[in-house]
Amino acid sequence: MTFGRMGARGIANKEISPEFIMRISKATAAYLDTNHIAVGRDTRLTGEMLADAAVVGLRSSGVNVTRLGVVPTPSIQRFAEVNTTPALQITASHNPPEYNGIKLIGPRGMVLERNSVKAVREMMGSDELSVPEWNEIGQVYRVKDANTEYIESVISEIDSSVIENQRPLVVLDAGHGAGALTSPTLLQMLGCKVITLNTHPDGNFPGRNPEPTEEGLSDLIRTVPAIGADLGIAHDGDADRVIFVDENGDFIEGDTALAALADAELSPGDTVVTAFNTSQRLADVVRKNDASIEYTPIGNSYILSRVKAIQNEGESVSIAGEGNGGIIYPNHRLNRDGGYVAAKFLQLIAGRSASTVVAPYDGYYLRRKNIPYDTTADRDKILSRASTWAETADGPVTTMDGYRVDLDDGWILVRPSGTEPFVRVYAEATSVKEASERAERVRTIIATT
Ligand code: MG
């Protein structure tokens, strides 16, 4: 099980048991000192059972619950923000079908920050969680229109006239996840003709896994050109991310879409916040727009915390996010929103072909090498050699989550994997050959022999 910045995730009914969900729900309510929490879920087979467990945990702590049913994460986040109610989302996002988990959302609609998640985790072990008298248990309310309100909120913020004028034909692949309940209507209301693939909610995920990878989207990639569609749109399991396929059936890298959207959004003096494994494509766009870029450690919660801090200093962050389809428009909402980003992308390409729009941002290649290790001591030896390599390397070095060296036409990053016994070497360059050679060169320097 992982338990960190995005809440807890693991194999459902084993690592993520109903007992665990009850306990974390009680601890979250105690930590947030609230008497009302909303509960939602994605489409996983274990979702309803685990949402039931959250509800039982909360009611037995004297907390009232609003049940939202199946909702994309941006939908429950909007509900939390608008109603100033914390929320618990039962989801494992992009993980395979056997997983489930929980995202902890604060009363402003943002996922809780690291320190808060840590505090909740500590409270789970406490004996002092509230146990009210028999006549003081929490009540349950049901809200059925959270998704409708979410769709309307996105529509109200997007000028859809340019999309309506074109009536683009789009193929939506919601990957059987929660986006199946919102994106078809959203896209229709934006003015698209919509064909759907894998867009019935199904916790068996028969069509594809929840992670929208190029291999996973093979049906979408075949369908878009076969029916002459203008764009393919795919979500992960909880639809906070979105990935696109162009009219020729070519997969658009998340980094490329991020750079294209950023180029349309940035003004001089803006700041972009992104993870420090994001493609040079974004750095190029930032330079071109006289904006600045701030890197954070890898992970959405680091990005959100940094955006919030910059906004508190009175500066503007018009776009932030990562190259995995998780893009944030902080002026819309301080979280990732797959439906909103799809709408922004449709606006961007209106009247043009998607391939033409993204072409200027392509042309970088990322290659990765893994260096396996057996013990922590071995890992530290590899990282120590990486430190020496970075000091003498030919470009500015950033150390926050490993070592990143920026080059004129790309970068090299060495960092330990968070989930597997590997130190990873990433290299980006303007050709596959150069990217492979860079990664291999550094691997050779720092690997144990
Ligand atoms: Mg997700």
Side-chain angles (χ1 to χ4, degrees), residues 93 103 236 238 240-241 336:
S93 189
K103 285 184 178 176
D236 69 330
D238 65 336
D240 59 345
R241 286 163 46 191
R336 310 197 291 198

Side-chain angles (χ1 to χ4, degrees), residues 222-439:
R222 268 198 306 273
T223 305
V224 170
I227 65 166
D230 299 294
L231 188 68
I233 298 175
H235 292 302
D236 69 330
D238 65 336
D240 59 345
R241 286 163 46 191
V242 63
I243 285 288
F244 304 103
V245 169
D246 76 15
E247 75 284 2
N248 302 316
D250 286 328
F251 182 85
I252 300 174
E253 297 286 344
D255 274 305
T256 303
L258 174 60
L261 288 165
D263 203 7
E265 202 68 19
L266 287 175
S267 308
D270 275 355
T271 303
V272 174
V273 180
T274 192
F276 92 150
N277 64 344
T278 298
S279 169
Q280 187 71 17
R281 297 163 170 98
L282 184 61
D284 290 348
V285 161
V286 164
R287 198 179 308 127
K288 180 182 140 197
N289 284 281
D290 261 333
S292 55
I293 193 162
E294 282 208 24
Y295 290 108
T296 70
I298 296 166
N300 186 39
S301 76
Y302 289 107
I303 295 175
L304 288 170
S305 301
R306 189 65 202 130
V307 171
K308 210 165 78 174
I310 293 171
Q311 285 181 331
N312 288 343
E313 290 158 17
E315 282 181 49
S316 154
V317 181
S318 50
I319 191 164
E322 297 176 272
N324 61 3
I327 298 175
I328 303 152
Y329 284 86
N331 299 329
H332 159 63
R333 187 156 294 123
L334 212 44
N335 58 49
R336 310 197 291 198
D337 187 336
Y340 184 82
V341 174
K344 294 292 278 187
F345 196 78
L346 282 160
Q347 251 183 345
L348 179 66
I349 67 165
R352 297 182 287 172
S353 65
S355 63
T356 317
V357 172
V358 301
Y361 311 100
D362 232 334
Y364 281 105
Y365 300 88
L366 186 66
R367 285 296 176 268
R368 185 174 85 180
K369 305 266 177 191
N370 292 328
I371 307 174
Y373 59 81
D374 292 325
T375 64
T376 335
D378 290 344
R379 181 196 65 194
D380 292 347
K381 277 184 212 156
I382 299 168
L383 290 175
S384 153
R385 279 192 290 270
S387 166
T388 311
W389 157 77
E391 278 165 30
T392 55
D394 204 10
V397 183
T398 317
T399 58
M400 56 174 62
D401 191 12
Y403 303 91
R404 172 175 163 140
V405 174
D406 277 284
L407 307 168
D408 288 339
D409 60 345
W411 45 267
I412 302 166
L413 168 66
V414 178
R415 75 182 284 257
S417 160
T419 51
E420 292 170 287
F422 292 121
V423 172
R424 300 197 199 281
V425 181
Y426 300 82
E428 191 173 50
T430 50
S431 73
V432 173
K433 184 166 170 281
E434 180 61 26
S436 290
E437 283 173 7
R438 278 180 187 168

Side-chain angles (χ1 to χ4, degrees), residues 3 14 24 43 57 94 175 178 186 214 216 259 270 272 313 323 355 369 384 444:
F3 198 151
K14 278 193 177 160
I24 192 173
T43 58
H94 61 270
L186 174 65
E214 184 167 2
D270 275 355
V272 174
E313 290 158 17
S355 63
K369 305 266 177 191
S384 153
T444 314

